[in-house]
Amino acid sequence: MVDHSRFSGDPEFMMSLAKGLAVLRLVANTQGQISIAEAARRTGFSRSAARRCLYTLSQLGYVAWHNEGFVIQNEHYSLGSNFVGTGSLASRATPILERLRDELGESCSLGILDGDHVRYIARAQTSRIMSINLYAGSRLPLCVTSMGRVLLAGCDQPMLDEYLGRTSLTPLTGKTVTDPRRLLTILEGVKRDGYAIVDQELEIGLRSVAVPVESSGRVIAALNIGCAASRIPIEEMLTRFLPRLRKASEELRA
């Protein structure tokens, strides 16, 4: 229940903005979708006020209708997670990533969809020197990263078509996939197999493997492990890294 009564006499306080933020916070904290009636019940707002808040947030792209309720938009999950505080996805992922890093000796990350990029929201990095320096807040193109491809594979077809229509598949190395039809085939395999491997398409010498993190049947984030191609063959990534990544994903979802 949200109580803004203490601000009722403050002429500078925007009650409508406060209600909108309260509803956005509620959607961000909710696992799965939330209906108008449930939003009204949990905030204490009238049904019409809750409906107007959700409508406005959806028109601005912060939430979206999914099945029978509203969900936070993936590209705004980082905004939503700021409201969640210590219970946020990033906070819960950090000890899991650190344990995975210590177990495997490789850097591990959690990323979310941010427009046409994957945004790193949590990372456990090794002390090993690598030519690419990543941290929470880093953004990389979706099409050339393992986490990006996992997130793309979780999009519906209209969103994917829109992305490919506006995106130039620029070659970053000689291994970068630049054919949209080939990328679509790769994404179909990612969706079918439940993981993505990118081998030196972003940077020569860098390999990574990623798996989805799901909630209520949709991909909300991706977990990955990055390593040097000179040290770790792809077969080892599949046999040693992938099972542990999947276990970490299940732990985070639980």
Side-chain angles (χ1 to χ4, degrees), residues 135-182:
Y135 49 88
S138 293
R139 296 167 78 242
L140 292 175
L142 292 169
C143 55
V144 292
T145 57
S146 59
M147 288 199 296
R149 288 184 180 173
V150 163
L151 294 168
L152 281 174
C155 293
D156 58 29
Q157 195 60 47
M159 186 181 293
L160 192 55
D161 290 340
E162 184 181 340
Y163 168 78
L164 290 173
R166 67 174 180 265
T167 302
S168 175
L169 302 181
T170 305
L172 301 179
T173 75
K175 291 178 172 287
T176 304
V177 172
T178 57
D179 182 354
R181 290 172 298 180
R182 186 181 170 201

Side-chain angles (χ1 to χ4, degrees), residues 9 14 26 32 48-49 57-58 63 69 73 75-76 84 103 108 128 164 169 182 195 203 208 221 238:
M14 293 182 64
L26 176 63
S48 62
L57 291 169
S58 67
V63 303
Q73 282 281 61
E75 59 264 37
H76 294 294
V84 181
E103 180 183 355
C108 308
R128 189 179 292 113
L164 290 173
L169 302 181
R182 186 181 170 201
Y195 71 90
E203 181 174 311
S208 64
L238 291 173

Side-chain angles (χ1 to χ4, degrees), residues 87-227:
S88 71
L89 186 64
S91 296
R92 287 183 283 125
T94 297
I96 297 173
L97 293 175
E98 290 174 346
R99 187 168 65 248
L100 198 60
R101 174 202 59 195
D102 295 342
E103 180 183 355
L104 298 175
E106 305 292 345
S107 296
C108 308
S109 307
L110 176 74
I112 59 169
L113 193 65
D114 184 6
D116 292 345
H117 295 78
V118 55
R119 180 183 293 277
Y120 286 64
I121 61 170
R123 182 164 168 83
Q125 189 160 332
T126 64
S127 58
R128 189 179 292 113
I129 297 175
M130 295 182 69
S131 56
I132 185 167
N133 184 30
L134 297 169
Y135 49 88
S138 293
R139 296 167 78 242
L140 292 175
L142 292 169
C143 55
V144 292
T145 57
S146 59
M147 288 199 296
R149 288 184 180 173
V150 163
L151 294 168
L152 281 174
C155 293
D156 58 29
Q157 195 60 47
M159 186 181 293
L160 192 55
D161 290 340
E162 184 181 340
Y163 168 78
L164 290 173
R166 67 174 180 265
T167 302
S168 175
L169 302 181
T170 305
L172 301 179
T173 75
K175 291 178 172 287
T176 304
V177 172
T178 57
D179 182 354
R181 290 172 298 180
R182 186 181 170 201
L183 180 59
L184 272 175
T185 300
I186 290 171
L187 293 177
E188 288 171 1
V190 172
K191 190 170 186 176
R192 179 190 65 241
D193 300 332
Y195 71 90
I197 284 185
V198 169
D199 183 15
Q200 304 179 81
E201 294 186 46
L202 174 67
E203 181 174 311
I204 291 296
L206 180 66
R207 283 179 179 147
S208 64
V209 56
V211 300
V213 178
E214 297 182 347
S215 176
S216 300
R218 68 187 187 100
V219 176
I220 62 168
L223 283 169
N224 94 330
I225 297 173
C227 62

